[in-house]
């Protein structure tokens, strides 16, 4: 019965049009979003700073303990990055910041070659050389390669490896601080109050439109790059090496933190989010129903997923088989969420999905 | 379907068809002369070919069976064709009578062929050339249709590569320049790119008098798909590429070529400009009056402008989700359209936006044409 009702409502909603919205609703959501986005960026900048400190200590006193401590700090930095990286618009896309912080997916050969060049160079790399060079040796994947590869400890004591790690980490601080400052200052102010602040946004709707499109881009990227491609969910064979953070086996944590952040931004945390806005418009609408279903589904499967994704590409145990099914369920939920945005949620919110930039020819 | 624009408006037929779009925004009087043609997708996901004024007021419309892509204007300026987006099997022709009547005619590709989205007319207006896929044999072809004989296919030539996309007529009036994108596709896997590791795009020149391939030119990176091109009246071909590989660093995406004068040359721009294009360009159009080339990048949210003579990047205009781009017939303006429903008029001398209109119910598709 519920399915019939859903189909009926879906059909009806297909032929409806978005109503004109008052700017106040957008402003409420933008202000709440900023309350979540700014601390996330501050945390990422702080973690990057701490990672640099830890790498400095590791290079000064190399030991298995200090390597482990640094690896843990890398994971914490990655966690904070995963919560920032779903904000796929604005400062993150300026000057290739996203790629510079995390050049991924990337051919393993490019990364290995880049690291080797740095290690075997006659002099340690300068900050400028890292910043002006290839993105393959910038940011978190390059540090992962140096910290998590086989025999990482002895590797760091060879040639310029430790100096390179320190400079890459220093450059990561620059990137994280730049991103953070944009959100704490001009960009953040323009985002939360577009009418009264000079900047790129003229109206609250415009700022909200970019924010929502950025989140949906994140949904699509998580779905495709982190699940579909590495797990082989679309016909092509999967590849363990294509999972994110393969060397550190951090793929599951990355996914978990991405999804947690995504839901936080959608719901506005404790404040006024997309779900509240849809309910305020019409608590019985299909948009409310589908968003609620997806949030519950993603939350449920996200908790159930416990194994690293690389172990699920070719599951070797019954447990891994079951975990692969959980990963597939997350994939399906994200696919449904993407469709819900395109078919119901965007229209209800009064914003439009990017068109040419999403599917050109 | 044959009604006048006035009849349509008076009878409210546009309203019953469900696509009367009120345009919002500021306008410039000098942009009213432009009659725009483009494929659009509406909020109900229906695809239309529309004729609109430059404020986005729809003057005529035609329902398409799928997304349209590029359109070509007949040399007379009184008719035009739109071609379906890969792997479409339709194209549609509109003719405008002196009384302002619009007549639409739908055509389909031959068995075993589908369109790649672009067409060009012969200089005398007697023939139309389309890029098509002979998908069973994995080869690109140029199909020639005789307009006076109900668009009957009268010839088919090898395009010189796989996945031919845009094609243009050279100023000599008989040489076609063809962007062979290099990407293998099949209609049963509509949007899948099947040969990204082995793709081999090229720019090819073909003599329409004989169907003979004159020359082919490749780029150093085999994963730079040559997609969109235009020819300046100086004979210089401008090329917009889309990168299909895994390299993450920025690279030149705009090239130019002078026939019989060596290989393809990268246009001159800063690394920041290349980075801003995000490995993707859309429309490529030449404004011959100003000697300026416009190239859109929907992923980079910008229109870039280039000097035809020097080959140098001039400046950019930021425009969200922009792709459609065309110079006005008098060369004084560029018109740009976006997937967000915006129509921007850009002064071709100052390269500044002089007016903007918005049709928020419409996604303007990749390419734009102007009817005189």
């Amino acid at each position: 019965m519920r399915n019939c009702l859903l189909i009926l409502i879906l059909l009806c909603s297909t032929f409806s049009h978005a109503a004109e919205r008052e700017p106040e609703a957008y402003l409420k959501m933008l202000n709440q979003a900023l309350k979540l986005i700014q601390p996330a960026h501050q945390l990422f900048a702080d973690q990057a700073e701490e990672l640099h400190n830890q790498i400095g200590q590791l290079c000064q006193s190399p030991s298995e303990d200090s390597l482990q401590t640094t690896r843990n700090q890398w994971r914490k930095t990655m966690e904070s990055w995963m919560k920032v990286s779903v904000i796929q618009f604005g400062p993150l896309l300026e000057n290739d910041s996203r790629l510079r912080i995390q050049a991924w997916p990337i051919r393993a050969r490019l990364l290995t070659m880049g690291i080797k060049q740095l290690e075997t160079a006659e002099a340690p790399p300068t900050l400028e050389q890292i910043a002006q060079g290839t993105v393959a040796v910038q940011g978190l994947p390059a540090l992962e390669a140096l910290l998590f590869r086989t025999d990482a400890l002895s590797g760091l004591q060879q040639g310029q490896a430790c100096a390179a790690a320190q400079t890459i980490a220093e450059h990561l601080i620059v990137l994280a601080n730049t991103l953070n400052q944009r959100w704490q200052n001009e960009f953040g102010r323009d985002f939360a109050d577009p009418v009264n602040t000079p900047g790129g946004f003229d109206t609250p709707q415009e700022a909200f439109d970019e924010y929502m499109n950025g989140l949906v881009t994140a949904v699509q990227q998580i779905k495709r790059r982190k699940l579909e491609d590495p797990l082989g969910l679309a016909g092509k064979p999967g590849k363990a090496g294509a999972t994110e953070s393969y060397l550190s086996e951090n793929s599951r944590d990355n996914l978990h933190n991405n999804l947690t952040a995504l839901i936080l931004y959608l719901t506005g945390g404790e404040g006024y989010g997309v779900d509240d806005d849809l309910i305020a418009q019409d608590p019985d609408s299909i948009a409310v129903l589908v968003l609620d279903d997806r949030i519950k589904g993603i939350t449920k499967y996200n908790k159930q997923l416990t194994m690293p994704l690389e172990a699920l590409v070719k599951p070797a145990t019954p447990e891994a088989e079951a975990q692969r099914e959980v990963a597939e369920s997350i994939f399906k939920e994200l696919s449904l969420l993407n469709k819900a945005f395109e078919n119901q949620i965007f229209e209800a919110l009064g914003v439009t999905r990017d068109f040419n930039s999403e599917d050109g020819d | 379907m044959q009604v006048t624009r006035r009849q349509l408006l008076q009878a409210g037929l546009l309203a019953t068809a469900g696509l009367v779009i009120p345009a919002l925004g500021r306008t410039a009087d000098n942009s009213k002369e432009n009659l725009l043609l483009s494929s659009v997708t509406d909020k109900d996901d229906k695809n239309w070919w529309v004729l609109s004024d430059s404020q986005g007021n729809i003057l005529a419309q035609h329902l398409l069976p799928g997304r349209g892509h590029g359109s070509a204007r007949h040399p007379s300026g009184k008719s035009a064709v739109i071609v379906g987006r890969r792997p479409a099997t339709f194209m549609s022709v509109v003719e405008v009578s002196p009384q302002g009547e619009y007549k639409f005619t739908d055509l389909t590709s031959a068995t075993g062929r589908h369109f790649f989205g672009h067409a060009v007319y012969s200089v005398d207006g007697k023939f139309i050339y389309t890029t098509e896929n002979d998908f069973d044999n994995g080869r690109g072809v140029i199909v020639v249709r005789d307009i006076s004989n109900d668009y009957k296919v009268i010839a088919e030539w090898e395009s010189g590569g796989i996945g031919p996309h845009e094609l243009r007529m050279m100023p000599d009036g008989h040489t076609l320049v063809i962007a062979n994108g290099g990407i293998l596709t099949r209609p049963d896997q509509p949007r899948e790119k099947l040969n990204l590791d082995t793709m081999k795009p090229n720019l090819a020149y073909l003599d329409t008098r004989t169907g003979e391939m004159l020359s082919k030119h490749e780029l150093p990176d085999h994963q730079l798909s040559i997609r969109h091109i235009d020819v300046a009246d100086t004979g210089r071909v401008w090329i917009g590429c889309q990168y299909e590989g895994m390299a993450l660093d920025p690279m030149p995406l705009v090239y130019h070529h002078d026939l019989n004068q060596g290989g393809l040359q990268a246009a001159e721009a800063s690394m920041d400009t290349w980075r801003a294009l995000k490995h993707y360009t859309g429309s490529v159009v030449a404004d011959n009056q100003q000697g300026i080339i416009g190239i859109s990048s929907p992923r980079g949210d910008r229109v870039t402008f280039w000097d035809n003579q020097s080959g140098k990047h001039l400046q950019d205009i930021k425009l969200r989700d922009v792709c459609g781009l065309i110079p006005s017939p008098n060369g004084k303006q560029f018109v740009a359209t976006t997937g967000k429903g915006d129509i921007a008029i850009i002064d071709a001398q100052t390269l500044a936006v002089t007016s903007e209109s918005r049709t928020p119910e419409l996604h303007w598709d990749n390419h734009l044409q102007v009817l005189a």
Side-chain angles (χ1 to χ4, degrees):
Chain A
M1 184 63 192
R2 190 186 183 208
N3 283 347
C4 291
L5 184 65
L6 261 177
I7 290 166
L8 184 66
I9 299 170
L10 278 167
L11 281 172
C12 293
S13 66
T14 303
F15 295 98
S16 63
H17 290 290
E20 285 292 313
R21 306 285 316 278
E22 292 297 323
E24 285 70 24
Y26 296 124
L27 285 172
K28 268 170 87 175
M29 287 187 279
L30 291 171
N31 277 282
Q32 180 57 26
L34 192 64
K35 284 180 190 164
L36 303 170
I37 292 170
Q38 284 182 330
H41 281 78
Q42 183 63 55
L43 180 63
F44 175 50
D46 293 345
Q47 296 291 10
E49 183 103 36
E50 186 54 29
L51 180 59
H52 178 250
N53 291 340
Q54 294 289 347
I55 290 174
Q57 288 173 30
L58 169 66
C59 289
Q60 223 165 25
S61 317
S63 68
E64 281 299 337
D65 280 352
S66 57
L67 176 63
Q68 200 50 52
T69 307
T70 310
R71 283 176 169 177
N72 289 343
Q73 182 54 40
W74 181 89
R75 290 186 201 280
K76 283 185 188 171
T77 312
M78 198 65 177
E79 178 179 343
S80 62
W81 163 243
M82 286 295 114
K83 292 177 176 174
V84 159
S85 65
V86 293
I87 311 288
Q88 291 266 359
F89 79 104
L92 197 65
L93 303 187
E94 292 167 1
N95 200 25
D96 269 359
S97 291
R98 186 181 69 79
L99 279 178
R100 290 172 187 274
I101 294 167
Q102 191 192 13
W104 183 81
I106 187 172
R107 280 193 202 280
R109 189 170 50 88
L110 284 178
L111 183 56
T112 314
M113 273 173 50
I115 296 289
K116 194 170 182 184
Q117 277 176 3
L118 290 179
E119 287 176 315
T120 55
E122 284 186 8
T126 64
L127 187 60
E128 195 181 5
Q129 282 170 333
I130 294 293
Q132 300 296 326
T134 171
V135 294
V137 291
Q138 296 179 19
L140 289 159
L143 291 173
E144 181 191 21
L146 287 161
L147 295 173
F148 288 87
R149 61 187 169 174
T150 310
D151 298 326
L153 193 59
S154 59
L156 280 167
Q157 294 169 76
Q158 307 294 316
Q160 309 294 348
C162 235
Q166 284 178 286
T167 313
I168 294 168
E170 191 184 347
H171 180 237
L172 182 65
I173 295 176
V174 175
L175 294 169
N177 280 339
T178 305
L179 200 56
N180 186 34
Q181 288 308 312
R182 290 281 285 138
W183 273 106
Q184 306 294 342
N185 298 304
E186 312 91 39
F187 190 86
R189 282 199 288 272
D190 185 29
F191 178 73
D193 187 11
V195 175
N196 299 307
T197 314
F201 300 123
D202 292 333
T203 64
Q205 184 184 23
E206 208 177 305
F208 188 71
D209 187 299
E210 285 222 31
Y211 177 44
M212 282 296 107
N213 270 285
L215 288 183
V216 177
T217 299
V219 169
Q220 291 176 342
Q221 286 186 356
I222 295 166
K223 184 168 79 80
R224 176 147 194 188
R225 295 180 182 174
K226 304 195 181 193
L227 293 165
E228 182 178 322
D229 289 347
L231 295 183
L233 300 179
K236 290 179 187 168
K239 276 197 321 204
T243 52
E244 190 184 30
S245 303
Y246 171 68
L247 275 178
S248 58
E249 295 189 341
N250 215 55
S251 56
R252 183 261 165 197
D253 287 350
N254 289 354
L255 180 65
H256 175 83
N257 291 318
N258 266 168
L259 296 177
T260 305
L262 185 69
I263 288 171
L264 181 77
Y265 295 129
L266 282 177
T267 58
E270 298 296 310
Y272 193 78
V274 169
D275 55 343
D276 303 299
D277 187 67
L278 295 175
I279 290 169
Q281 289 188 62
D282 178 2
D284 300 321
S285 70
I286 185 67
V288 169
L289 196 63
V290 291
L291 181 61
D292 186 53
D293 278 355
R294 300 291 74 79
I295 287 173
K296 283 178 179 155
I298 292 168
T299 306
K300 174 180 144 189
Y301 295 121
N302 197 18
K303 276 184 192 157
Q304 288 179 4
L305 188 70
T306 54
M307 289 177 76
L309 297 176
E310 39 277 12
L312 314 183
V313 176
K314 288 178 184 162
T317 63
E319 189 197 355
E321 286 279 3
Q323 281 284 292
R324 183 179 166 97
E325 284 178 21
V326 174
E328 286 176 4
S329 296
I330 294 176
F331 173 77
K332 283 175 194 159
E333 287 292 339
L334 290 172
S335 303
L336 290 170
L337 179 63
N338 187 43
K339 277 188 187 157
F341 266 107
E342 289 180 358
N343 294 339
Q344 290 95 28
I345 298 171
F346 265 71
E347 187 158 319
L349 292 171
V351 295
T352 51
R353 182 76 183 117
D354 289 349
F355 185 71
N356 290 309
S357 53
E358 283 305 308
D359 189 13
D361 202 15
Chain B
M1 180 174 165
Q2 190 160 357
V3 287
T4 66
R5 179 163 133 188
R6 180 172 294 169
Q7 282 168 339
L8 275 170
L9 293 169
Q10 284 177 346
L13 288 179
L14 292 176
T16 58
L19 195 72
V20 168
I21 306 301
L24 313 169
R26 60 199 169 91
T27 61
D29 285 345
N30 62 1
S31 61
K32 284 179 180 167
E33 65 200 53
N34 299 324
L35 182 58
L36 308 178
L37 292 92
S38 178
S39 170
V40 300
T41 301
D42 70 14
K43 287 285 185 183
D44 297 332
D45 261 346
K46 284 183 181 154
N47 298 288
W48 302 85
W49 189 17
V50 297
L51 289 90
S52 98
D53 65 19
S54 52
Q55 285 81 57
N57 298 302
I58 305 298
L59 307 174
Q61 64 193 62
H62 182 62
L63 189 63
L64 297 171
R67 265 177 82 172
H69 191 65
S71 48
R73 185 177 60 189
H74 190 271
S76 68
K78 299 302 176 193
S79 75
V81 61
I82 193 162
V83 189
R85 191 174 83 135
R86 167 177 66 87
T89 54
F90 70 89
M91 68 174 182
S92 186
V93 180
V94 64
E95 292 167 72
V96 187
S97 76
Q99 293 75 37
E101 295 169 333
Y102 302 111
K103 182 188 171 194
F104 292 94
T105 308
D106 292 329
L107 306 163
T108 55
S109 56
T111 306
R113 304 283 182 273
H114 71 70
F115 293 113
F116 273 123
H118 287 276
V120 68
Y121 286 94
S122 60
V123 171
D124 60 12
K126 291 181 178 173
F127 308 107
I128 188 163
Y129 308 101
T130 51
T131 48
E132 300 190 25
N133 192 8
D134 171 6
F135 46 83
D136 284 337
N137 298 302
R139 66 181 189 130
V141 292
I142 304 301
V143 176
V144 190
R145 287 176 174 81
D146 182 351
I147 293 171
S148 64
N149 192 9
D150 289 332
Y151 293 87
K152 187 179 172 191
V153 174
I154 56 165
E156 184 178 276
W157 304 313
E158 298 260 359
S159 74
I162 291 173
H165 196 65
E166 188 156 33
L167 75 175
R168 301 276 192 171
M169 186 62 74
M170 294 293 286
D172 65 13
H174 55 77
T175 303
L176 280 178
V177 56
I178 303 155
N180 283 302
I183 299 171
L184 180 65
T185 55
R186 287 190 54 83
D188 50 1
Q189 294 162 276
R191 304 296 298 164
E192 281 295 310
K193 297 168 180 174
L194 302 170
N195 65 334
L196 293 183
D197 288 339
T198 58
M199 59 186 279
K200 213 174 168 188
N202 68 57
L203 185 77
Y205 293 90
L206 185 150
D207 191 331
T208 57
R209 296 169 300 184
T210 59
E212 181 195 355
M213 183 58 59
L214 301 173
S215 62
K216 293 198 279 190
H217 307 268
E218 294 178 4
L219 290 168
D221 191 322
H222 80 100
Q223 288 184 307
L224 264 179
S225 181
I226 299 176
R227 309 293 294 171
H228 295 106
I229 50 176
D230 200 2
V231 189
D233 57 5
T234 58
R236 174 166 282 185
V237 179
W238 281 80
I239 301 155
C241 299
Q242 296 170 5
Y243 179 61
E244 298 287 351
M246 288 201 50
L248 299 173
D249 292 308
M251 63 183 68
L253 294 181
V254 178
Y255 291 79
H256 50 78
H257 186 245
D258 299 298
L259 186 57
N260 302 323
Q261 290 183 42
L264 308 182
Q265 298 291 318
E268 218 177 304
S270 70
M271 220 27 113
D272 285 343
T273 298
W274 298 128
R275 180 176 290 119
L277 297 179
K278 301 197 186 305
H279 287 170
Y280 193 93
T281 61
S283 297
V284 177
V285 294
D287 182 336
N288 287 315
Q289 276 80 2
Q290 308 296 335
I292 290 173
I293 310 301
I295 299 180
S296 60
S297 172
R299 294 188 186 161
D301 291 326
R302 65 192 58 221
V303 179
T304 60
F305 295 102
W306 309 76
D307 183 77
N308 178 48
Q309 196 173 6
S310 68
K312 289 183 179 172
H313 173 244
L314 297 171
Q315 66 184 69
D316 295 354
I317 283 177
K318 285 192 179 178
L319 208 51
R320 185 101 184 277
D321 206 26
V322 65
C323 198
L325 186 66
I326 194 83
S328 62
N330 63 13
K332 290 181 178 172
Q333 302 151 337
F334 284 93
V335 185
T337 51
T338 79
K340 296 285 190 183
D342 299 297
I343 302 172
I345 309 295
I346 301 159
D347 186 295
Q349 284 186 316
T350 63
L351 301 180
V353 174
T354 55
S355 78
E356 276 181 280
S357 310
R358 192 150 210 228
T359 50
E361 303 296 314
L362 294 183
H363 302 294
W364 293 86
D365 219 313
N366 297 168
H367 299 290
L368 186 61
Q369 188 56 261
V370 173
L371 212 57

